[in-house]
């Protein structure tokens, strides 16, 4: 399994930007938010991982194959940098996970019988809800 620690530092680009949202004067003066940019196509990842990453339906992956992650949860640049790396690591884990193939099964005879009996019972209850005629 490939992790972020396996990717060379020169392939991941960080840029500090001003965070949006509440925060008072700190938001206006200090650039604490981090934009992480990672170009999948020109990276050193194996071709299988690259293709799976590019096929992922994620808004953070541009049509050029660049992953852009904006981290602004914390008030320090270093914590936001670490969070952006964790998010990239989660994306890598998600694209390398292989689903177990589904094995087709059939319901047991008793479960089919129970289901049909409950349907008949419910139908009779509804049928008996009609207007009562006294003759």
């Amino acid at each position: 399994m490939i992790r972020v620690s396996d990717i060379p530092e020169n392939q991941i680009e960080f840029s500090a930007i001003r965070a949006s949202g509440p925060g008072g004067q700190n938001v206006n003066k200090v650039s604490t938010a981090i934009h992480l940019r990672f170009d999948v196509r020109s990276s050193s990842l194996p071709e299988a991982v690259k293709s799976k990453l590019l096929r992922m339906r994620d808004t953070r992956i541009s049509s050029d194959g660049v992953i852009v992650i904006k981290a602004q949860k914390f008030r320090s640049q270093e914590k936001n940098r670490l969070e952006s790396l964790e998010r990239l690591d989660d994306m890598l884990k998600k694209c390398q996970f292989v689903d177990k193939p589904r094995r087709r099964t059939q319901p047991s005879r008793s479960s089919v019988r129970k289901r049909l009996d409950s349907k008949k019972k419910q139908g009779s209850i509804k049928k008996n809800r009609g207007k009562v005629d006294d003759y």
Side-chain angles (χ1 to χ4, degrees), residues 65-80:
V66 177
I67 298 175
V68 179
I69 297 174
K70 182 179 181 182
Q72 60 179 9
K73 184 178 178 182
F74 300 103
R75 289 182 65 155
S76 77
Q77 222 177 69
E78 190 56 34
K79 284 183 182 177
N80 284 329

Side-chain angles (χ1 to χ4, degrees), residues 14-73:
F14 295 101
S15 57
I17 57 170
R18 290 197 177 144
S20 63
Q25 289 297 313
N26 194 52
V27 171
N28 300 333
K29 294 189 292 186
V30 185
S31 298
T32 56
I34 295 291
H35 254 160
L36 177 142
R37 298 177 77 76
F38 177 65
D39 191 0
V40 177
R41 291 196 172 110
S42 66
S43 66
S44 62
L45 295 173
E47 286 301 319
V49 176
K50 281 184 191 181
S51 64
K52 277 189 177 181
L53 258 176
L54 293 172
R55 275 188 276 131
M56 280 177 73
R57 294 190 149 278
D58 199 323
T59 57
R60 297 173 290 186
I61 302 174
S62 70
S63 59
D64 303 332
V66 177
I67 298 175
V68 179
I69 297 174
K70 182 179 181 182
Q72 60 179 9
K73 184 178 178 182

Side-chain angles (χ1 to χ4, degrees), residues 8 10 18 23 26 32 43 55 66 77 82-84 88 96 106 112 126:
N10 61 352
R18 290 197 177 144
N26 194 52
T32 56
S43 66
R55 275 188 276 131
V66 177
Q77 222 177 69
L82 292 174
E83 186 197 11
S84 65
L88 181 63
Q96 293 177 65
Q106 289 185 339
V112 171
K126 287 188 166 193

